Amino acid sequence: MTPNCGSFSDFFIKNCSHGRHSTDKKHIDDSVFNGKPIVSDATRFYFELFILVIANAIVSVFGTLSNIINIIVFAKMGVNDVVNVSLLCLAVSDLISVVFIVWCSICWGLSLLDPPGLPFDPITFLFVTAGWPHFIFSRVSCYITAMVSIERCLCVILPFKVKEIITPKRIKICLIFIFTAFPLAYIPVLSVHKLVRKFDRNHNETRIMLDFATNADRIQTISDYINDIFFPTLSIFTVIVSAIVTTRSLHRNAEWKKAKKIGHTLTSDVDSSSSKSNVISSKEVKVVRMLVIICVMFVICYAPYVMNLYAVSFHPEFAMFRAYHNLFVCIFSFVFLFEIFNSSFNIVVYYTMSSKFRFTLLELFNRGGQATHIVKK
Protein backbone atom coordinates (compact mmCIF):
# COMPACT_ATOMS: atom_id res chain seq x y z
CA MET A 1 0.00 0.00 0.00
CA THR A 2 1.76 3.08 -1.18
CA PRO A 3 0.58 6.33 -2.70
CA ASN A 4 3.59 6.76 -4.96
CA CYS A 5 2.08 6.28 -8.44
CA GLY A 6 3.79 4.59 -11.32
CA SER A 7 6.03 2.15 -9.45
CA PHE A 8 4.00 0.03 -7.01
CA SER A 9 2.81 -2.48 -9.58
CA ASP A 10 6.21 -2.61 -11.30
CA PHE A 11 7.98 -3.70 -8.10
CA PHE A 12 5.17 -6.07 -7.18
CA ILE A 13 5.16 -7.82 -10.56
CA LYS A 14 8.94 -7.94 -10.77
CA ASN A 15 9.32 -9.54 -7.34
CA CYS A 16 6.00 -11.28 -6.82
CA SER A 17 7.38 -14.12 -4.70
CA HIS A 18 7.72 -12.79 -1.18
CA GLY A 19 10.16 -15.50 -0.21
CA ARG A 20 12.55 -14.02 -2.78
CA HIS A 21 12.51 -10.55 -1.26
CA SER A 22 15.80 -10.04 0.47
CA THR A 23 18.22 -7.19 0.86
CA ASP A 24 21.19 -9.45 0.20
CA LYS A 25 19.93 -11.14 -2.98
CA LYS A 26 21.44 -9.84 -6.20
CA HIS A 27 18.28 -10.31 -8.29
CA ILE A 28 16.70 -7.28 -6.62
CA ASP A 29 17.36 -3.93 -8.28
CA ASP A 30 19.94 -1.78 -6.45
CA SER A 31 17.58 1.20 -6.69
CA VAL A 32 15.14 -0.56 -4.41
CA PHE A 33 17.51 -1.23 -1.53
CA ASN A 34 20.25 1.36 -1.09
CA GLY A 35 22.96 0.88 1.47
CA LYS A 36 23.04 -1.38 4.50
CA PRO A 37 19.58 -2.45 5.69
CA ILE A 38 18.36 -1.25 9.09
CA VAL A 39 16.78 -4.65 9.72
CA SER A 40 18.41 -7.84 8.48
CA ASP A 41 16.63 -10.51 6.46
CA ALA A 42 17.00 -12.97 9.33
CA THR A 43 15.31 -10.58 11.77
CA ARG A 44 12.49 -9.94 9.30
CA PHE A 45 12.04 -13.69 8.83
CA TYR A 46 11.56 -14.28 12.57
CA PHE A 47 9.07 -11.41 12.81
CA GLU A 48 7.13 -12.92 9.94
CA LEU A 49 7.24 -16.43 11.38
CA PHE A 50 6.40 -15.70 15.00
CA ILE A 51 4.01 -12.75 14.55
CA LEU A 52 2.49 -12.75 11.06
CA VAL A 53 2.14 -16.53 10.99
CA ILE A 54 2.00 -18.04 14.49
CA ALA A 55 0.70 -15.18 16.69
CA ASN A 56 -1.79 -13.97 14.09
CA ALA A 57 -3.11 -17.50 13.63
CA ILE A 58 -3.58 -18.03 17.39
CA VAL A 59 -5.27 -14.66 17.96
CA SER A 60 -7.48 -14.97 14.86
CA VAL A 61 -8.65 -18.48 15.79
CA PHE A 62 -9.51 -17.21 19.26
CA GLY A 63 -11.20 -14.20 17.68
CA THR A 64 -13.23 -16.44 15.39
CA LEU A 65 -14.54 -18.51 18.30
CA SER A 66 -15.12 -15.51 20.58
CA ASN A 67 -17.05 -13.57 17.94
CA ILE A 68 -19.23 -16.57 17.12
CA ILE A 69 -20.10 -16.70 20.82
CA ASN A 70 -20.72 -12.93 20.86
CA ILE A 71 -23.09 -13.21 17.91
CA ILE A 72 -25.07 -16.03 19.53
CA VAL A 73 -25.27 -14.24 22.89
CA PHE A 74 -26.33 -10.86 21.49
CA ALA A 75 -28.85 -12.51 19.17
CA LYS A 76 -30.31 -14.33 22.16
CA MET A 77 -30.41 -11.08 24.15
CA GLY A 78 -32.59 -9.58 21.42
CA VAL A 79 -32.09 -7.19 18.50
CA ASN A 80 -34.68 -4.62 19.54
CA ASP A 81 -32.23 -2.94 21.90
CA VAL A 82 -29.98 -0.29 20.34
CA VAL A 83 -26.84 -1.50 22.15
CA ASN A 84 -27.46 -5.18 21.43
CA VAL A 85 -28.01 -4.75 17.70
CA SER A 86 -24.92 -2.51 17.41
CA LEU A 87 -22.68 -4.94 19.28
CA LEU A 88 -24.16 -7.85 17.32
CA CYS A 89 -23.20 -6.19 14.03
CA LEU A 90 -19.78 -5.31 15.46
CA ALA A 91 -19.27 -9.00 16.29
CA VAL A 92 -20.32 -9.98 12.75
CA SER A 93 -17.84 -7.60 11.11
CA ASP A 94 -15.10 -8.64 13.56
CA LEU A 95 -15.81 -12.31 12.81
CA ILE A 96 -15.50 -11.84 9.05
CA SER A 97 -12.36 -9.80 9.58
CA VAL A 98 -10.53 -12.35 11.74
CA VAL A 99 -11.65 -15.39 9.70
CA PHE A 100 -9.69 -14.03 6.75
CA ILE A 101 -6.64 -13.63 8.98
CA VAL A 102 -6.56 -17.40 9.52
CA TRP A 103 -6.16 -17.84 5.76
CA CYS A 104 -3.76 -14.89 5.71
CA SER A 105 -1.46 -16.64 8.22
CA ILE A 106 -1.52 -19.83 6.16
CA CYS A 107 -0.56 -17.97 2.97
CA TRP A 108 2.19 -16.04 4.73
CA GLY A 109 3.55 -19.31 6.11
CA LEU A 110 3.57 -20.75 2.59
CA SER A 111 5.48 -17.69 1.39
CA LEU A 112 8.19 -18.38 3.97
CA LEU A 113 8.38 -22.08 3.10
CA ASP A 114 8.22 -21.29 -0.63
CA PRO A 115 7.47 -24.94 -1.55
CA PRO A 116 8.07 -26.01 -5.15
CA GLY A 117 5.08 -26.76 -7.32
CA LEU A 118 2.71 -24.41 -5.48
CA PRO A 119 0.01 -23.42 -8.01
CA PHE A 120 -0.25 -19.83 -6.76
CA ASP A 121 2.04 -17.10 -5.49
CA PRO A 122 1.24 -16.94 -1.73
CA ILE A 123 1.63 -13.20 -1.11
CA THR A 124 -0.24 -11.93 -4.15
CA PHE A 125 -2.91 -14.59 -3.58
CA LEU A 126 -3.07 -13.49 0.07
CA PHE A 127 -3.69 -9.85 -0.80
CA VAL A 128 -6.71 -10.60 -2.98
CA THR A 129 -8.29 -13.55 -1.14
CA ALA A 130 -7.57 -12.50 2.47
CA GLY A 131 -5.90 -9.10 2.78
CA TRP A 132 -8.48 -6.86 1.18
CA PRO A 133 -11.53 -8.70 2.59
CA HIS A 134 -9.96 -8.34 6.05
CA PHE A 135 -9.23 -4.64 5.54
CA ILE A 136 -12.76 -3.97 4.30
CA PHE A 137 -14.50 -5.52 7.32
CA SER A 138 -11.89 -4.15 9.68
CA ARG A 139 -12.95 -0.70 8.47
CA VAL A 140 -16.61 -1.68 8.94
CA SER A 141 -15.82 -2.52 12.59
CA CYS A 142 -14.05 0.83 12.86
CA TYR A 143 -17.12 2.75 11.68
CA ILE A 144 -19.52 0.75 13.85
CA THR A 145 -17.36 1.55 16.89
CA ALA A 146 -17.52 5.25 16.00
CA MET A 147 -21.30 5.02 15.67
CA VAL A 148 -21.61 3.27 19.05
CA SER A 149 -19.42 5.90 20.70
CA ILE A 150 -21.65 8.70 19.39
CA GLU A 151 -24.83 6.90 20.48
CA ARG A 152 -23.54 6.33 24.01
CA CYS A 153 -22.30 9.92 24.24
CA LEU A 154 -25.79 11.17 23.39
CA CYS A 155 -27.23 8.72 25.89
CA VAL A 156 -25.23 10.40 28.66
CA ILE A 157 -25.65 14.06 27.72
CA LEU A 158 -29.29 13.75 26.56
CA PRO A 159 -30.71 10.78 28.48
CA PHE A 160 -34.38 11.76 28.14
CA LYS A 161 -34.18 12.74 24.47
CA VAL A 162 -31.85 10.08 23.08
CA LYS A 163 -34.61 7.49 22.65
CA GLU A 164 -36.43 9.91 20.38
CA ILE A 165 -33.28 10.72 18.40
CA ILE A 166 -31.78 7.23 18.19
CA THR A 167 -34.31 4.46 17.67
CA PRO A 168 -33.61 0.77 16.91
CA LYS A 169 -34.96 1.33 13.39
CA ARG A 170 -32.59 4.24 12.71
CA ILE A 171 -29.64 2.32 14.14
CA LYS A 172 -30.43 -0.63 11.87
CA ILE A 173 -30.57 1.70 8.85
CA CYS A 174 -27.16 3.13 9.82
CA LEU A 175 -25.71 -0.35 10.22
CA ILE A 176 -27.05 -1.46 6.84
CA PHE A 177 -25.49 1.64 5.31
CA ILE A 178 -22.11 0.90 6.94
CA PHE A 179 -22.19 -2.74 5.81
CA THR A 180 -22.96 -1.79 2.21
CA ALA A 181 -21.59 1.67 1.37
CA PHE A 182 -18.08 1.32 2.77
CA PRO A 183 -17.33 -2.13 1.28
CA LEU A 184 -18.64 -0.84 -2.07
CA ALA A 185 -16.05 1.94 -1.87
CA TYR A 186 -13.36 -0.74 -2.42
CA ILE A 187 -14.83 -1.95 -5.72
CA PRO A 188 -12.68 0.41 -7.88
CA VAL A 189 -9.41 -0.75 -6.32
CA LEU A 190 -10.44 -4.42 -6.39
CA SER A 191 -11.42 -4.15 -10.05
CA VAL A 192 -7.88 -3.18 -11.11
CA HIS A 193 -6.19 -6.02 -9.19
CA LYS A 194 -6.95 -9.49 -10.53
CA LEU A 195 -5.58 -12.97 -10.09
CA VAL A 196 -4.49 -14.55 -13.37
CA ARG A 197 -2.32 -17.45 -14.48
CA LYS A 198 1.01 -16.10 -15.64
CA PHE A 199 4.65 -17.09 -15.80
CA ASP A 200 6.64 -16.62 -12.58
CA ARG A 201 10.27 -16.16 -13.56
CA ASN A 202 11.46 -16.60 -9.97
CA HIS A 203 10.14 -20.19 -9.96
CA ASN A 204 10.32 -20.81 -13.69
CA GLU A 205 6.71 -22.00 -13.82
CA THR A 206 3.20 -20.73 -14.47
CA ARG A 207 1.28 -19.84 -11.32
CA ILE A 208 -1.76 -17.84 -10.22
CA MET A 209 -0.47 -14.33 -9.58
CA LEU A 210 -1.65 -10.76 -9.22
CA ASP A 211 -2.14 -8.73 -12.38
CA PHE A 212 -2.64 -4.96 -12.56
CA ALA A 213 -4.68 -2.73 -14.82
CA THR A 214 -2.87 0.21 -16.41
CA ASN A 215 -4.49 2.70 -14.01
CA ALA A 216 -4.00 0.55 -10.91
CA ASP A 217 -1.50 2.86 -9.20
CA ARG A 218 -3.71 5.93 -9.46
CA ILE A 219 -6.80 4.14 -8.18
CA GLN A 220 -4.76 2.49 -5.41
CA THR A 221 -3.50 5.89 -4.29
CA ILE A 222 -6.97 7.42 -4.17
CA SER A 223 -8.31 4.42 -2.27
CA ASP A 224 -5.43 4.56 0.21
CA TYR A 225 -6.08 8.18 1.09
CA ILE A 226 -9.87 7.92 1.30
CA ASN A 227 -10.58 4.39 2.60
CA ASP A 228 -7.45 3.71 4.63
CA ILE A 229 -6.43 7.12 5.99
CA PHE A 230 -9.20 9.73 5.92
CA PHE A 231 -12.21 7.74 7.13
CA PRO A 232 -10.30 5.64 9.73
CA THR A 233 -8.69 8.82 11.09
CA LEU A 234 -12.09 10.49 11.27
CA SER A 235 -13.46 7.45 13.11
CA ILE A 236 -10.63 7.44 15.65
CA PHE A 237 -11.06 11.18 16.24
CA THR A 238 -14.83 10.67 16.70
CA VAL A 239 -14.28 7.87 19.20
CA ILE A 240 -11.72 9.90 21.20
CA VAL A 241 -13.93 13.01 21.39
CA SER A 242 -17.03 10.95 22.25
CA ALA A 243 -15.15 9.04 24.96
CA ILE A 244 -13.86 12.27 26.54
CA VAL A 245 -17.29 13.92 26.50
CA THR A 246 -18.93 10.75 27.84
CA THR A 247 -16.42 10.37 30.66
CA ARG A 248 -16.81 14.01 31.72
CA SER A 249 -20.60 13.70 31.63
CA LEU A 250 -20.49 10.55 33.74
CA HIS A 251 -18.34 12.40 36.27
CA ARG A 252 -20.84 15.25 36.42
CA ASN A 253 -23.65 12.73 36.77
CA ALA A 254 -21.86 11.08 39.71
CA GLU A 255 -21.30 14.47 41.35
CA TRP A 256 -24.98 15.35 41.12
CA LYS A 257 -26.01 12.02 42.67
CA LYS A 258 -23.47 12.44 45.46
CA ALA A 259 -24.63 15.97 46.20
CA LYS A 260 -28.26 14.88 46.20
CA LYS A 261 -27.48 12.02 48.56
CA ILE A 262 -25.77 14.20 51.18
CA GLY A 263 -28.28 17.02 50.75
CA HIS A 264 -25.90 19.63 49.41
CA THR A 265 -26.00 21.66 46.23
CA LEU A 266 -23.14 21.47 43.79
CA THR A 267 -20.80 24.39 43.39
CA SER A 268 -18.60 25.49 40.47
CA ASP A 269 -20.10 25.13 36.99
CA VAL A 270 -22.33 22.20 37.83
CA ASP A 271 -25.87 23.54 38.03
CA SER A 272 -28.21 21.31 40.04
CA SER A 273 -31.28 21.79 37.90
CA SER A 274 -29.46 21.13 34.63
CA SER A 275 -27.63 18.17 36.14
CA LYS A 276 -30.92 16.65 37.26
CA SER A 277 -32.16 16.74 33.69
CA ASN A 278 -29.01 14.94 32.57
CA VAL A 279 -28.87 12.20 35.21
CA ILE A 280 -28.89 8.61 33.99
CA SER A 281 -29.63 5.34 35.74
CA SER A 282 -26.97 3.13 37.34
CA LYS A 283 -27.76 0.42 34.78
CA GLU A 284 -27.09 2.84 31.92
CA VAL A 285 -23.88 3.99 33.61
CA LYS A 286 -22.58 0.39 33.60
CA VAL A 287 -23.39 -0.01 29.91
CA VAL A 288 -21.76 3.30 29.05
CA ARG A 289 -18.61 2.45 31.00
CA MET A 290 -18.35 -0.89 29.23
CA LEU A 291 -18.65 0.75 25.82
CA VAL A 292 -16.16 3.47 26.76
CA ILE A 293 -13.63 0.72 27.53
CA ILE A 294 -14.41 -0.91 24.17
CA CYS A 295 -13.79 2.46 22.49
CA VAL A 296 -10.55 3.08 24.39
CA MET A 297 -9.31 -0.41 23.48
CA PHE A 298 -10.21 0.32 19.87
CA VAL A 299 -8.16 3.54 19.82
CA ILE A 300 -5.15 1.91 21.50
CA CYS A 301 -5.18 -1.07 19.12
CA TYR A 302 -6.23 0.63 15.89
CA ALA A 303 -4.40 3.98 16.03
CA PRO A 304 -0.89 2.46 15.50
CA TYR A 305 -2.12 0.82 12.29
CA VAL A 306 -3.42 4.12 10.91
CA MET A 307 -0.21 5.89 11.99
CA ASN A 308 1.72 3.27 10.04
CA LEU A 309 -0.31 4.19 6.93
CA TYR A 310 0.55 7.85 7.50
CA ALA A 311 4.24 6.91 7.63
CA VAL A 312 3.90 5.15 4.26
CA SER A 313 2.16 8.17 2.73
CA PHE A 314 4.84 10.59 3.97
CA HIS A 315 7.76 8.30 3.13
CA PRO A 316 6.88 5.99 0.17
CA GLU A 317 10.12 4.01 0.54
CA PHE A 318 8.84 2.79 3.91
CA ALA A 319 6.66 0.05 2.39
CA MET A 320 6.72 -3.51 1.14
CA PHE A 321 9.07 -4.13 -1.79
CA ARG A 322 10.76 -0.76 -1.21
CA ALA A 323 13.98 0.49 0.38
CA TYR A 324 12.80 -0.16 3.94
CA HIS A 325 11.00 -3.39 3.18
CA ASN A 326 12.40 -5.30 6.17
CA LEU A 327 11.76 -2.47 8.64
CA PHE A 328 8.23 -2.04 7.31
CA VAL A 329 7.41 -5.74 7.67
CA CYS A 330 8.68 -5.83 11.27
CA ILE A 331 6.70 -2.74 12.34
CA PHE A 332 3.66 -3.78 10.30
CA SER A 333 3.62 -7.20 11.97
CA PHE A 334 3.17 -5.56 15.40
CA VAL A 335 0.56 -2.98 14.42
CA PHE A 336 -1.32 -5.62 12.43
CA LEU A 337 -1.38 -7.92 15.47
CA PHE A 338 -2.75 -5.05 17.59
CA GLU A 339 -5.53 -4.51 15.07
CA ILE A 340 -6.48 -8.20 15.12
CA PHE A 341 -6.36 -8.15 18.92
CA ASN A 342 -8.99 -5.40 18.90
CA SER A 343 -11.35 -7.61 16.86
CA SER A 344 -10.80 -10.70 19.00
CA PHE A 345 -10.91 -9.81 22.69
CA ASN A 346 -14.10 -7.78 23.11
CA ILE A 347 -15.68 -10.84 24.69
CA VAL A 348 -13.43 -10.38 27.74
CA VAL A 349 -14.81 -6.86 28.29
CA TYR A 350 -18.41 -7.98 27.73
CA TYR A 351 -18.09 -10.87 30.16
CA THR A 352 -16.33 -8.81 32.81
CA MET A 353 -18.55 -5.73 32.73
CA SER A 354 -22.00 -6.90 31.60
CA SER A 355 -23.99 -9.08 34.00
CA LYS A 356 -26.66 -9.61 31.33
CA PHE A 357 -24.04 -10.86 28.88
CA ARG A 358 -22.58 -13.19 31.54
CA PHE A 359 -26.02 -14.49 32.43
CA THR A 360 -26.90 -15.22 28.79
CA LEU A 361 -23.51 -16.79 28.11
CA LEU A 362 -23.65 -19.08 31.15
CA GLU A 363 -27.22 -20.01 30.29
CA LEU A 364 -26.04 -20.85 26.79
CA PHE A 365 -23.54 -23.33 28.21
CA ASN A 366 -26.10 -24.80 30.63
CA ARG A 367 -24.54 -23.19 33.69
CA GLY A 368 -27.93 -22.28 35.11
CA GLY A 369 -26.79 -22.18 38.74
CA GLN A 370 -24.08 -19.60 38.11
CA ALA A 371 -26.43 -17.58 35.88
CA THR A 372 -29.05 -17.44 38.63
CA HIS A 373 -26.36 -16.33 41.08
CA ILE A 374 -25.47 -13.44 38.74
CA VAL A 375 -29.11 -12.33 38.60
CA LYS A 376 -29.40 -12.40 42.39
CA LYS A 377 -26.26 -10.30 42.72
Side-chain angles (χ1 to χ4, degrees), residues 54-64 98 337 340-342 344-345:
I54 298 175
N56 280 3
I58 293 172
V59 174
S60 58
V61 168
F62 175 82
T64 300
V98 295
L337 182 62
I340 302 167
F341 184 93
N342 175 67
S344 302
F345 285 86

Side-chain angles (χ1 to χ4, degrees), residues 112-341:
L112 296 180
L113 293 174
D114 199 18
L118 197 66
F120 57 88
D121 179 70
I123 290 299
T124 58
F125 200 73
L126 175 159
F127 283 155
V128 176
T129 62
W132 273 311
H134 163 75
F135 293 142
I136 290 170
F137 285 97
S138 172
R139 304 299 183 269
V140 169
S141 295
C142 175
Y143 306 139
I144 292 176
T145 304
M147 186 197 73
V148 169
S149 69
I150 294 172
E151 188 273 329
R152 285 297 97 182
C153 183
L154 291 175
C155 176
V156 173
I157 63 178
L158 300 170
F160 298 110
K161 295 180 181 179
V162 69
K163 289 185 178 180
E164 298 175 7
I165 300 172
I166 301 178
T167 63
K169 183 178 179 180
R170 289 175 181 173
I171 284 293
K172 290 174 184 177
I173 292 173
C174 290
L175 290 167
I176 291 171
F177 175 80
I178 292 173
F179 267 97
T180 53
F182 290 105
L184 287 175
Y186 279 88
I187 288 180
V189 72
L190 293 175
S191 65
V192 296
H193 298 79
K194 298 179 181 179
L195 289 172
V196 297
R197 291 186 61 84
K198 57 193 297 187
F199 183 75
D200 181 359
R201 65 182 184 181
N202 288 325
H203 290 79
N204 197 30
E205 60 183 354
T206 300
R207 304 205 295 178
I208 298 174
M209 298 164 59
L210 192 60
D211 193 34
F212 297 83
T214 55
N215 59 341
D217 288 314
R218 182 179 180 182
I219 293 177
Q220 178 77 51
T221 300
I222 296 172
S223 177
D224 288 347
Y225 280 121
I226 296 175
N227 296 323
D228 299 327
I229 293 181
F230 176 74
F231 280 118
T233 301
L234 182 62
S235 299
I236 291 173
F237 179 77
T238 300
V239 170
I240 291 173
V241 172
S242 298
I244 292 172
V245 173
T246 302
T247 303
R248 287 176 61 87
S249 298
L250 283 177
H251 179 68
R252 291 166 68 91
N253 182 76
E255 282 186 336
W256 184 87
K257 286 184 176 181
K258 183 178 179 181
K260 184 180 178 182
K261 184 177 180 181
I262 63 177
H264 293 289
T265 58
L266 293 176
T267 57
S268 71
D269 63 332
V270 183
D271 179 73
S272 180
S273 59
S274 63
S275 295
K276 185 176 181 180
S277 64
N278 289 331
V279 70
I280 62 175
S281 66
S282 299
K283 182 180 178 181
E284 283 292 332
V285 169
K286 291 180 181 178
V287 174
V288 170
R289 284 176 178 169
M290 179 187 75
L291 294 178
V292 166
I293 290 178
I294 292 293
C295 292
V296 170
M297 189 169 76
F298 160 76
V299 172
I300 292 173
C301 294
Y302 204 83
Y305 181 80
V306 176
M307 290 171 64
N308 195 59
L309 295 178
Y310 271 103
V312 174
S313 66
F314 287 123
H315 199 306
E317 291 303 314
F318 176 69
M320 290 188 69
F321 318 121
R322 296 300 187 92
Y324 300 102
H325 171 79
N326 287 359
L327 178 63
F328 174 82
V329 170
C330 292
I331 294 177
F332 172 78
S333 62
F334 269 116
V335 299
F336 194 49
L337 182 62
F338 265 72
E339 188 215 337
I340 302 167
F341 184 93

Side-chain angles (χ1 to χ4, degrees), residues 49 52-53 104-115 122 126:
L49 177 62
L52 290 175
V53 178
C104 185
S105 297
I106 293 172
C107 287
W108 210 290
L110 289 173
S111 75
L112 296 180
L113 293 174
D114 199 18
L126 175 159

